[in-house]
Amino acid sequence: MLKLQDISVTFNEGTPDEKKALKNIQLELKQGEFVTVIGSNGAGKSTLMNIISGVLVPDVGDVYIADKQVVHLPEYKRSKYIGRVFQDPMAGTAPSMTIEENLAMAYSRNKKRKLKLGVTKQRKKLFKEYLETLNLGLENRLTAKVGLLSGGERQALSLLMSTFTEPNILLLDEHTAALDPSRAELITNLTDQIVKDSGLTTLMITHNMQQALDLGSRLIMMDKGQIIFDVSGKEKEKLTVEDLMREFQRIRGEQFGSDRAILS
Ligand SMILES: Nc1ncnc2c1ncn2[C@@H]1O[C@H](COP(=O)(O)OP(=O)(O)OP(=O)(O)O)[C@@H](O)[C@H]1O
Ligand SMILES: [Mg+2]
């Protein structure tokens, strides 16, 4: 469903601020795979998502979505393939519009539907049904302005809207990080439910290692612009947070060792 081939990204090339954010990334995701992504600050996780969604064009490398080369497609042309939820609850929705208007906008974006805006009676019913699945009572607040919703309610709505377009890939960039623990847990459970029900191919960045272990079928760890660990299936199920920490130390330690060997 997704293939990244030899992706490299350098910011501010040739200046003292030069930063190699991604180094020769190879990544293939099968249809329906749910991958959690962990890694320290600045590891390149968000940059990876920006490459997939077309916010950034890599210096070199190819991006394939469902076997279609999209590396030169701008973000707006890729949006029908991609659903995305950001860390900031303000980012995914239009605050001055009502819940039903936001939903109508997302709904009309579906590649298979004719572009038709507005909230019809039939759609109202449909939106209510969708909102009921969130269990937040939002189905009774269709005409409330989204700007009045709490962060958690907004993220739930963003999540729902991001799947409306029936995208090929769902990208979640720390979408629970700005919420309090109980709201974060609610959105986490909702994510699990939505991804399982829809069978969407999903990449989810999280700083919570336990969450990265609990969710999904595969886990990748990034560091300094590289994927340094990639585990799935039964092997992933067995892992603990301690294992992950140890793995990180082992890989980085070895790398440090070999760098030193080359230098000496
Ligand atoms: N537009 C940009 N211009 C210059 N440097 C950038 C830009 N975007 C990202 N970087 C740099 O590239 C590196 C990777 O950034 P990225 O945002 O991908 O990290 P991240 O893994 O998402 O980190 P975090 O966990 O803090 O969100 C960082 O050093 C960052 O400062
Ligand atoms: Mg980030």
Side-chain angles (χ1 to χ4, degrees):
M1 183 52 80
L2 173 73
K3 189 156 137 192
L4 302 181
Q5 222 165 24
D6 306 320
I7 298 285
S8 292
V9 174
T10 308
F11 292 111
N12 307 315
E13 193 161 10
T15 75
D17 293 334
E18 182 170 303
K19 176 83 206 175
K20 286 192 164 49
L22 293 178
K23 298 174 196 163
N24 199 27
I25 293 282
Q26 320 284 350
L27 180 67
E28 226 173 301
L29 261 59
K30 292 198 202 81
Q31 159 81 45
E33 228 171 358
F34 182 2
V35 184
T36 53
V37 184
I38 56 171
S40 38
N41 292 117
K45 305 180 297 296
S46 296
T47 304
L48 187 76
M49 289 203 169
N50 286 335
I51 290 293
I52 297 168
S53 61
V55 174
L56 287 172
V57 180
D59 309 339
V60 290
D62 296 306
V63 181
Y64 298 91
I65 297 176
D67 290 329
K68 188 177 148 73
Q69 162 78 285
V70 296
V71 77
H72 294 299
L73 273 192
E75 187 188 4
Y76 76 95
K77 284 199 178 157
R78 266 188 238 186
S79 62
K80 61 176 179 240
Y81 306 117
I82 290 161
R84 196 169 183 187
V85 183
F86 297 88
Q87 180 173 349
D88 179 3
M90 305 300 186
T93 46
S96 60
M97 285 162 66
T98 65
I99 291 181
E100 61 184 9
E101 284 165 352
N102 270 276
L103 288 171
M105 197 172 60
Y107 191 77
S108 305
R109 241 183 258 142
N110 189 312
K111 53 189 177 243
K112 293 173 203 116
R113 292 179 194 116
K114 287 197 187 71
L115 190 79
K116 212 167 85 182
L117 279 168
V119 186
T120 60
K121 213 170 172 183
Q122 196 187 356
R123 279 193 197 174
K124 242 187 187 88
K125 190 166 162 279
L126 187 73
F127 294 163
K128 274 196 168 177
E129 282 166 16
Y130 277 123
L131 289 168
E132 273 165 14
T133 65
L134 302 178
N135 270 322
L136 291 171
L138 294 180
E139 63 276 13
N140 304 317
R141 299 171 67 188
L142 278 176
T143 54
K145 291 255 195 307
V146 166
L148 300 173
L149 302 183
S150 74
E153 290 166 344
R154 272 189 160 201
Q155 284 307 66
L157 193 63
S158 298
L159 200 56
L160 193 64
M161 282 166 59
S162 69
T163 62
F164 259 24
T165 48
E166 295 176 22
N168 300 75
I169 297 158
L170 180 62
L171 301 176
L172 308 169
D173 192 347
E174 294 188 60
H175 68 309
T176 65
L179 308 174
D180 66 59
S182 68
R183 289 284 158 193
E185 197 188 332
L186 184 137
I187 298 299
T188 301
N189 294 338
L190 203 60
T191 305
D192 201 28
Q193 181 199 320
I194 286 177
V195 173
K196 275 185 184 145
D197 289 353
S198 62
L200 265 173
T201 309
T202 302
L203 267 174
M204 182 183 94
I205 299 173
T206 175
H207 269 119
N208 184 330
M209 289 207 193
Q210 193 59 54
Q211 189 185 43
L213 290 172
D214 292 344
L215 294 183
S217 52
R218 180 174 169 191
L219 177 148
I220 62 179
M221 190 192 288
M222 291 187 70
D223 187 53
K224 300 191 174 73
Q226 294 175 308
I227 295 172
I228 59 166
F229 186 56
D230 186 343
V231 66
S232 55
K234 290 260 176 296
E235 213 181 322
K236 172 177 180 290
E237 281 169 27
K238 282 190 302 198
L239 280 179
T240 63
V241 171
E242 290 72 40
D243 293 335
L244 279 181
M245 305 281 278
R246 213 176 309 120
E247 200 61 33
F248 182 77
Q249 299 249 311
R250 188 181 70 76
I251 296 163
R252 283 322 317 180
E254 262 176 19
Q255 186 129 346
F256 179 64
S258 63
D259 285 349
R260 221 170 23 178
I262 291 164
L263 289 172
S264 62

